């Protein structure tokens, strides 16, 4: 049965939701699923904006067929070639062999790399090119590295609708709803939206900034992303989040404490520190075990909070591997502009602290507090003064 949703008189959501996929990109857990959005414009010409992941192809086809009736599909606009959106191109072409595919030259190259059977039916567009489909005229805007190099967004100048590709997307399935105002977005979705942005597009903040600058030159009334809800109210809310995330500016003054602990002693030190912070009035804190928290959640909260404490045991004379992986992900995603304190543990040759500092030194604009501390095996009474000094420094910095 079709699951399409009407957006306005001419435009429909015809995508699919996926609750079965455990790991997005086979790496990020998505306990609440994900949507693959595709949009169908019924104008003098019929136009499909992007397809869906292979797993949603059947749903996509049912949705399109119900709306098209006896009409044929004239155009397929591909804004983004990643297979979670483009994998169903072949299915579309099998049903509507005369469909013209409109996309960027780089996307065409990728279509050949992915062995999609597109040859005579391709129309490439340049930045600023326009196409008129009847009542609706669209402009194509290049959006390289948001999130792949071939990406573009399409702006419907008639209705002020931005087909924004991965930008403004989110994890979570739509579950029958479509518009952001149909959810309590801040409570239900924001964490997943942030986790999606930071882990998928987070590395490319400057490219997102370039896209936001281009978007500021047109009057956007609605945003139709490739994942998550459609925005037609309070666009400033999501634009403001993107402004923070893409400039690596924290959303909140708060402290994330991430610990790596083998037998609970480093964990204990982290917990004592959190208590001391609370005594100093710093309660916007989060404590995470790096071994049992998927790194995508750590990255997401790190984009949210201003301060970070890394507390790590020494392992094989190095950083505990899950902590090392977290640091590598921070570096890979270009995380910057944070204040960090380091606490190390080591029973005979503590080394984690110095090595963590070295990793942080290779990231941009990270402030590492001079106050740091070393514990040997477990926190002792004689360490408490030092921990107080560290708590004082953190509290002064975050306030
Ligand atoms: Fe949702 Fe970059 O694909």
């Amino acid at each position: 049965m079709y699951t399409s949703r009407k957006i306005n008189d001419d435009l429909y959501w015809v995508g699919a939701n996926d609750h079965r996929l455990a790991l997005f990109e086979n790496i990020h857990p998505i306990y609440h699923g994900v949507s693959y959005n595709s949009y169908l414009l019924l104008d003098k010409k019929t136009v499909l904006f992007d397809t869906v992941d292979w797993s949603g192809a059947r749903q996509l086809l049912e949705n399109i067929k119900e709306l098209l009736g006896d009409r044929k599909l004239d155009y397929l606009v591909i804004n983004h070639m990643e297979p979670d959106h483009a994998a169903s191109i072949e299915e579309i072409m099998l049903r509507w062999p005369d469909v013209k595919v409109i996309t960027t030259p780089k996307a065409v190259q990728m279509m050949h790399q992915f062995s999609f059977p597109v040859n005579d039916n391709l129309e490439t567009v340049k930045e600023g090119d326009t196409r008129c489909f009847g009542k609706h005229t669209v402009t194509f805007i290049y959006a390289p590295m948001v999130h792949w190099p071939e990406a573009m967004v399409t702006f419907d100048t008639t209705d002020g609708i931005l087909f924004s590709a991965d930008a403004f997307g989110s994890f979570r399935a739509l579950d029958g709803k479509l518009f952001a105002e149909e959810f309590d977005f801040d409570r239900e979705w924001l964490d997943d939206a942030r986790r999606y942005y930071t882990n998928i597009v987070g590395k490319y903040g400057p490219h997102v900034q370039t896209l936001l600058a281009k978007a500021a030159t047109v009057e956007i009334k609605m945003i139709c992303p490739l994942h998550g809800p459609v925005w037609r109210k309070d666009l400033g809310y999501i634009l403001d989040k993107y402004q923070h995330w893409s400039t690596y500016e924290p959303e909140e003054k708060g402290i994330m404490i991430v610990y790596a602990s083998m037998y609970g002693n480093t964990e204990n030190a982290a917990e004592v520190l959190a208590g001391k912070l609370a005594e100093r009035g710093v309660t916007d804190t989060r404590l995470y075990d790096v071994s049992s928290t998927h790194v995508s959640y750590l990255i997401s909260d790190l984009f949210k909070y201003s301060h970070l404490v890394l507390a790590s045991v020494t392992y094989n004379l190095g950083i505990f591997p899950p902590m090392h992986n977290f640091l590598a992900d921070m570096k890979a995603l270009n995380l910057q502009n944070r204040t960090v304190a380091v606490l190390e543990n080591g029973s005979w040759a503590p080394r984690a602290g110095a090595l963590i500092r070295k990793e942080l030194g290779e990231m941009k604009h990270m402030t590492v507090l001079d106050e740091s501390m070393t514990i040997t095996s477990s926190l002792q009474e004689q360490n408490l003064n030092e921990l107080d000094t560290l708590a004082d420094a953190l509290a002064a910095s975050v306030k």
Side-chain angles (χ1 to χ4, degrees):
M1 175 54 71
Y2 50 85
T3 56
S4 52
R5 287 278 316 262
K6 185 173 181 171
I7 294 176
N8 65 24
D9 284 346
D10 307 321
L11 187 67
Y12 295 80
W13 177 90
V14 290
N17 289 286
D18 190 343
H19 272 288
R20 293 186 181 182
L21 187 72
L23 298 173
F24 188 81
E25 294 184 347
N26 210 15
I27 181 169
H28 307 295
I30 43 170
Y31 302 115
H32 303 289
V34 68
S35 75
Y36 308 111
N37 298 342
S38 173
Y39 302 94
L40 182 64
L41 180 70
L42 300 179
D43 200 343
K44 197 168 168 195
K45 299 291 181 186
T46 60
V47 188
L48 183 68
F49 293 93
D50 295 291
T51 74
V52 299
D53 183 75
W54 182 255
S55 62
R58 185 185 167 96
Q59 189 66 67
L60 172 76
L61 293 172
E62 275 201 55
N63 291 342
I64 297 172
K65 279 182 189 167
E66 190 268 330
L67 287 165
L68 279 184
D70 294 334
R71 299 186 70 181
K72 66 185 176 71
L73 184 63
D74 297 307
Y75 291 99
L76 169 59
V77 173
I78 294 293
N79 287 303
H80 185 20
M81 247 308 292
E82 191 164 7
D84 56 332
H85 310 293
S88 300
I89 290 178
E90 187 172 2
E91 291 298 321
I92 294 293
M93 300 192 61
L94 282 169
R95 267 85 179 167
W96 297 280
D98 296 331
V99 69
K100 273 257 181 260
V101 179
I102 300 176
T103 194
T104 63
K106 251 193 177 58
V108 171
Q109 181 194 329
M110 287 189 175
M111 285 176 196
H112 294 311
Q113 287 172 204
F114 280 101
S115 304
F116 291 162
V118 285
N119 283 315
D120 304 329
N121 49 351
L122 285 165
E123 215 175 292
T124 57
V125 287
K126 299 188 301 295
E127 167 93 6
D129 279 0
T130 61
R131 289 287 184 282
C132 182
F133 300 122
K135 179 176 146 195
H136 294 261
T137 299
V138 301
T139 306
F140 303 101
I141 301 166
Y142 277 18
M145 303 320 296
V146 185
H147 129 241
W148 278 14
E150 90 305 348
M152 67 173 184
V153 299
T154 303
F155 184 62
D156 178 339
T157 54
T158 309
D159 280 347
I161 297 177
L162 181 70
F163 296 95
S164 63
D166 272 346
F168 308 108
S170 178
F171 292 142
R172 283 184 98 88
L174 292 162
D175 298 344
K177 289 158 272 190
L178 177 62
F179 301 102
E181 76 269 15
E182 293 177 315
F183 303 96
D184 183 340
F185 191 89
D186 208 65
R187 186 173 63 81
E188 297 173 47
W189 278 74
L190 179 59
D191 286 345
D192 273 316
R194 185 189 304 103
R195 192 162 64 88
Y196 170 83
Y197 173 86
T198 55
N199 287 279
I200 307 297
V201 195
K203 179 179 182 66
Y204 305 113
H207 297 85
V208 174
Q209 277 287 301
T210 302
L211 177 60
L212 290 176
K214 288 183 188 177
T217 64
V218 292
E219 195 189 341
I220 300 170
K221 294 182 180 147
M222 194 185 301
I223 298 173
C224 290
L226 287 178
H227 302 285
V230 166
W231 290 86
R232 63 180 179 182
K233 290 185 177 168
D234 200 12
L235 302 192
Y237 170 92
I238 195 68
L239 286 165
D240 177 65
K241 296 295 177 198
Y242 263 66
Q243 181 63 22
H244 279 87
W245 299 336
S246 61
T247 54
Y248 306 96
E249 285 300 324
E251 286 165 71
E252 288 180 21
K253 290 257 186 192
I255 303 179
M256 217 184 140
I257 303 174
V258 181
Y259 62 83
S261 188
M262 292 166 65
Y263 299 106
N265 293 301
T266 311
E267 177 182 8
N268 170 255
E271 201 171 324
V272 175
L273 175 62
K276 288 186 177 296
L277 288 168
E279 284 166 2
R280 286 158 176 77
V282 181
T283 50
D284 197 356
T285 52
R286 295 283 183 284
L287 206 66
Y288 290 105
D289 183 339
V290 75
S291 297
S292 59
T293 310
H294 191 274
V295 71
S296 64
Y297 289 89
L298 300 176
I299 290 294
S300 180
D301 261 12
L302 193 46
F303 270 72
K304 179 178 178 182
Y305 291 112
S306 56
H307 286 63
L308 171 68
V309 176
L310 295 172
S312 181
V313 68
T314 301
Y315 196 83
N316 286 333
L317 289 182
I319 304 168
F320 194 63
M323 182 66 87
H324 209 169
N325 179 51
F326 176 38
L327 285 157
D329 228 19
M330 284 167 61
K331 206 188 292 181
L333 290 169
N334 215 5
L335 197 279
Q336 46 194 281
N337 292 337
R338 294 300 185 273
T339 300
V340 191
V342 179
L343 185 156
E344 68 175 351
N345 191 357
S347 290
W348 64 93
R351 294 249 303 142
L355 294 170
I356 287 172
R357 283 173 173 275
K358 182 170 175 289
E359 296 282 342
L360 292 169
E362 291 166 11
M363 300 176 205
K364 290 180 201 157
H365 313 303
M366 300 296 258
T367 304
V368 183
L369 293 182
D370 291 335
E371 293 81 0
S372 61
M373 68 178 291
T374 300
I375 57 174
T376 45
S377 302
S378 68
L379 192 66
Q380 306 288 327
E381 199 68 32
Q382 65 265 23
N383 299 128
L384 290 180
N385 280 346
E386 214 178 345
L387 201 62
D388 276 321
T389 305
L390 183 59
D392 284 340
L394 277 166
S397 173
V398 80
K399 282 176 180 171

